[in-house]
């Protein structure tokens, strides 16, 4: 498959992740009387990955996440030369997704992009539960580690075929159920970047952590899983 087509798939897939996942948090989480709450937002993020994995997995691999691309590269599953183009496509898709979401959200009377939080990630006073930087950092590293660990395991040639998107989508759902109170859950630098660019301020100032911690977690998983899964000859 041509690189341009794979990049296009990554862009559309990450667009869908931000629109579906962040959109559920911004538009539906606390909607009067029928809000979907934390569990609903968690499921929405998982469903975006599950649906796109089936839709574009055969085109681009459905990374939708710079940390995933880095982790797969470290594990020897993805070529280094394509890492930067994939990350650029993912960030572009996330930004477009955040833009479309902002247009929709601003259609509601009294909606304010900044005061709503716009599903941005944060620590300290910008954490939903006011968790410290250390707690948030550890949470993002560990959650991303396990996300990549599940991805590497579910897509292993020895794993049952056809079920990887389900395992990966449910893993992301579980991650959100655990960590939304801590950081609003990133585990994905592109997902964090898109909304932050529209909110500005602290969302952008704290963005470094939501690049660094997920990438560290992904790198560790990219090293650990192959060591654990390697068969003796």
């Amino acid at each position: 498959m041509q690189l341009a087509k794979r990049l296009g798939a990554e862009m559309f897939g990450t667009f869908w992740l931000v629109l579906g996942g962040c959109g559920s948090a911004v538009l539906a989480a606390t909607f009067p009387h029928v809000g979907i709450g934390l569990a609903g937002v968690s499921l929405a993020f998982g469903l975006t990955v599950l649906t796109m994995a089936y839709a574009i997995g055969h085109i681009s691999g459905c990374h939708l996440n710079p940390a995933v691309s880095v982790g797969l590269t470290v594990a020897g599953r993805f070529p280094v030369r394509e890492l930067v183009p994939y990350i650029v496509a993912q960030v572009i898709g996330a930004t477009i997704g955040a833009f479309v979401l902002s247009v929709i959200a601003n259609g509601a009377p009294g909606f304010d992009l900044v005061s709503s939080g716009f599903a941005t990630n944060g620590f300290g006073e910008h954490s939903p539960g006011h968790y410290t930087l250390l707690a948030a950092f550890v949470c993002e590293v560990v959650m991303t580690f396990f996300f990549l660990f599940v991805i590497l395991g579910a897509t292993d040639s020895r794993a049952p075929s056809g079920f990887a998107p389900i395992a990966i989508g449910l893993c992301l759902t579980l991650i959100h159920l655990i960590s939304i109170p801590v950081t609003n859950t990133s585990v994905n630098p592109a997902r964090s970047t898109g909304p932050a660019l529209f909110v500005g301020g602290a969302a952008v100032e704290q963005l470094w952590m939501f690049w660094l911690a997920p990438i560290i977690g992904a790198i560790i998983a990219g090293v650990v899983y192959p060591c654990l899964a390697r068969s003796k000859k």
Side-chain angles (χ1 to χ4, degrees), residues 62-78 140-156 167-168 171-172 175 186-189 213-226:
C62 192
H63 299 186
L64 316 185
N65 182 338
V68 170
S69 297
V70 169
L72 293 174
T73 301
V74 172
R77 301 269 196 96
F78 188 69
E140 287 292 324
V141 169
V142 172
M143 294 301 157
T144 312
F145 169 85
F146 279 102
F147 189 41
L148 262 293
F149 194 86
V150 169
I151 290 172
L152 289 166
T155 57
D156 194 301
I168 295 167
C171 180
L172 189 59
I175 286 169
S186 172
V187 303
N188 184 338
I215 287 175
I216 289 175
I219 289 172
I220 297 172
V223 172
V224 171
Y225 182 82

Side-chain angles (χ1 to χ4, degrees), residues 165-180:
I166 298 173
I168 295 167
L170 289 176
C171 180
L172 189 59
T173 298
L174 176 58
I175 286 169
H176 278 78
L177 286 171
I178 297 167
S179 61
I180 284 178

Side-chain angles (χ1 to χ4, degrees), residues 64-174:
L64 316 185
N65 182 338
V68 170
S69 297
V70 169
L72 293 174
T73 301
V74 172
R77 301 269 196 96
F78 188 69
V80 176
R81 67 182 181 277
E82 297 182 359
L83 180 59
V84 172
Y86 258 59
I87 291 174
V88 171
Q90 292 155 3
V91 172
I92 291 173
T95 303
I96 297 173
F99 169 73
V100 172
L101 177 57
S102 71
V103 172
I104 296 170
N106 277 305
F111 177 80
D112 181 80
L113 196 82
V114 176
S115 64
S116 73
F118 202 53
T120 53
N121 303 112
F123 53 83
E125 63 181 44
H126 301 288
S127 154
H130 300 286
Y131 285 80
T132 64
L133 168 59
L134 178 61
F137 190 87
V138 170
C139 183
E140 287 292 324
V141 169
V142 172
M143 294 301 157
T144 312
F145 169 85
F146 279 102
F147 189 41
L148 262 293
F149 194 86
V150 169
I151 290 172
L152 289 166
T155 57
D156 194 301
S157 60
R158 295 164 293 179
S161 62
F163 294 100
I166 298 173
I168 295 167
L170 289 176
C171 180
L172 189 59
T173 298
L174 176 58

Side-chain angles (χ1 to χ4, degrees), residues 22-38 40-41 111 116:
C22 296
S24 70
V26 173
L27 304 176
T30 58
F31 189 79
H33 311 302
V34 290
I36 62 175
L38 185 153
V41 173
F111 177 80
S116 73

